[in-house]
Amino acid sequence: MRFFIDTADLEEIKAANDLGVLDGVTTNPSLVAKIVQDPENFTYEDFKAHIAKICDIVDGPVSAEVTTLLAEEMIVQGEDLAAIHDNVVVKCPLTLEGLKAMHHLSANGIRINATLVFSPTQAILAAKAGASYVSPFVGRLDDISTEGMALVEQIVDIYDNYRFPTEVLVASIRHPQHVVDAALIGADVATIPFKVIGQLLKHPLTDTGLERFMKDAAVIKKG
Ligand code: E4P
């Protein structure tokens, strides 16, 4: 299972990369908006420069999302974003216009992450349009009392049935149990917020065990 970090924050990306567990990055316009210090003066060129900085830190797929609703404009922007770095994956929403753009871009060798996916039918369409990744948003489904992981299970089964090469990238992860469930189901990738990556390693027995070992280590004299 590959781990992507779900953030546009360069410090978080560097810190997670230093742990040696990071395989890629996902961003979206809301995550980018969070790190912009001067929103009045942040341009599209600044956005592209920020994606380039992420690509310099992590040697793996970096999702950059289109910021327009029309297929023709998504295609132009997708080509532009893909030109930033070989590792850029263009994120398109699973709408009618998004689907057209995905089909066109993927046919031209640009990797696509189909985003805002909330149903198995949307996931089938993403695969048929040639998306490299499909992103079911589990947390947002849980938020409306629908089991997000049930969708991941359905997509993994459907893709297995037809050997679709599209990878299942579990998104909108909110806590460690989402990561465990995604791994048990056999999802290809989990994109995880920085805070949750930290939570993955925490266990109270590790903390109390280490405290005891450090106390007892006092008997071991340094030479
Ligand atoms: C990543 O690809 C998604 O955009 C992200 O996981 C959405 O997360 P959220 O539902 O917590 O905003």
Side-chain angles (χ1 to χ4, degrees):
M1 181 185 219
R2 270 164 298 142
F3 278 4
F4 292 177
I5 188 167
D6 199 21
T7 184
D9 185 315
L10 298 180
E11 293 311 313
E12 289 186 352
I13 293 168
K14 276 183 209 149
N17 196 48
D18 285 349
L19 297 177
V21 297
L22 202 58
D23 302 296
V25 181
T26 52
T27 67
N28 64 34
S30 306
L31 293 171
V32 173
K34 270 192 200 166
I35 55 91
V36 172
Q37 284 171 353
D38 183 6
E40 298 295 304
N41 294 306
F42 191 79
T43 64
Y44 175 62
E45 289 308 312
D46 293 330
F47 167 55
K48 289 201 299 177
H50 193 80
I51 295 294
K53 282 184 196 163
I54 296 175
C55 292
D56 284 343
I57 301 169
V58 179
D59 186 17
V62 173
S63 286
E65 189 155 343
V66 295
T67 53
T68 177
L69 297 174
L70 297 175
E72 278 175 26
E73 293 174 6
M74 286 185 210
I75 290 167
V76 172
Q77 195 182 10
E79 286 169 348
D80 196 38
L81 293 172
I84 296 171
H85 193 285
D86 281 352
N87 282 342
V88 169
V89 175
V90 176
K91 243 174 147 183
C92 294
L94 207 297
T95 58
L96 188 119
E97 293 292 309
L99 206 57
K100 280 194 238 172
M102 284 180 214
H103 169 64
H104 181 95
L105 290 166
S106 62
N108 284 291
I110 291 175
R111 284 182 298 165
I112 299 295
N113 176 353
T115 191
L116 290 167
V117 168
F118 295 96
S119 76
T121 52
Q122 289 179 319
I124 294 169
L125 291 172
K128 290 187 71 68
S132 298
Y133 301 95
V134 67
S135 288
F137 277 34
V138 294
R140 292 194 195 187
L141 281 169
D142 290 354
D143 288 346
I144 57 159
S145 304
T146 303
E147 210 194 316
M149 277 302 158
L151 172 62
V152 175
E153 238 165 336
Q154 287 177 320
I155 298 173
V156 167
D157 282 354
I158 292 168
Y159 283 8
D160 280 354
N161 286 346
Y162 296 98
R163 296 190 174 80
F164 282 129
T166 305
E167 297 196 84
V168 181
L169 193 170
V170 180
S172 189
I173 280 180
R174 302 277 162 79
H175 48 70
Q177 193 58 42
H178 275 151
V179 179
V180 174
D181 291 342
L184 286 170
I185 292 167
D188 301 285
V189 190
T191 187
I192 314 173
F194 182 67
K195 180 181 152 212
V196 179
I197 292 179
Q199 289 172 331
L200 294 180
L201 62 84
K202 291 300 278 179
H203 197 287
L205 291 179
T206 305
D207 296 340
T208 52
L210 187 62
E211 201 183 320
R212 179 63 182 265
F213 284 158
M214 287 300 104
K215 262 189 204 144
D216 292 342
V219 299
I220 303 167
K221 305 282 182 291
K222 290 197 182 115

